[in-house]
Amino acid sequence: MSKYPPTGESWIFDIGPAQILHQYNCDKSMHYQILSGEFAGLEETVAIEVIKAGGGYLVSWQEANKTTVVHWEDFGQGVFKSFVTLPDLNFVHFTGKMWREA
């Protein structure tokens, strides 16, 4: 796989009810911080798996509380889709915009 585009960068993902900062130091881990919404202030570093998929990337991780997340990210268009299984097994999904942090 070619270099994962955001490696070494920080991006903001807007899921509607919250904005989340993703900081990518390498293509194997990501630190996220929830900037707004009900869980503002929550942050964690997670191991990620990245796969090139069509015009974007599939990125998956599991959080300490067992939340499982799969993103499809298109850095060229600045859009993503997020599919999340919560610890109580409820399934939610979001579509939103993302941009590089200034």
Side-chain angles (χ1 to χ4, degrees), residues 10-25:
S10 296
W11 283 71
I12 296 176
F13 289 73
D14 188 339
I15 65 169
Q19 287 188 345
I20 305 168
L21 174 66
H22 290 197
Q23 297 169 306
Y24 302 95
N25 293 322

Side-chain angles (χ1 to χ4, degrees), residues 34-67:
I34 301 176
L35 302 175
S36 63
E38 180 180 354
F39 299 103
L42 181 68
E43 60 183 289
E44 182 179 353
T45 299
V46 294
I48 60 174
E49 183 170 345
V50 179
I51 300 169
K52 179 91 169 108
Y57 293 83
L58 283 174
V59 184
S60 62
W61 66 89
Q62 187 173 54
E63 299 171 2
N65 69 357
K66 302 301 183 197
T67 295

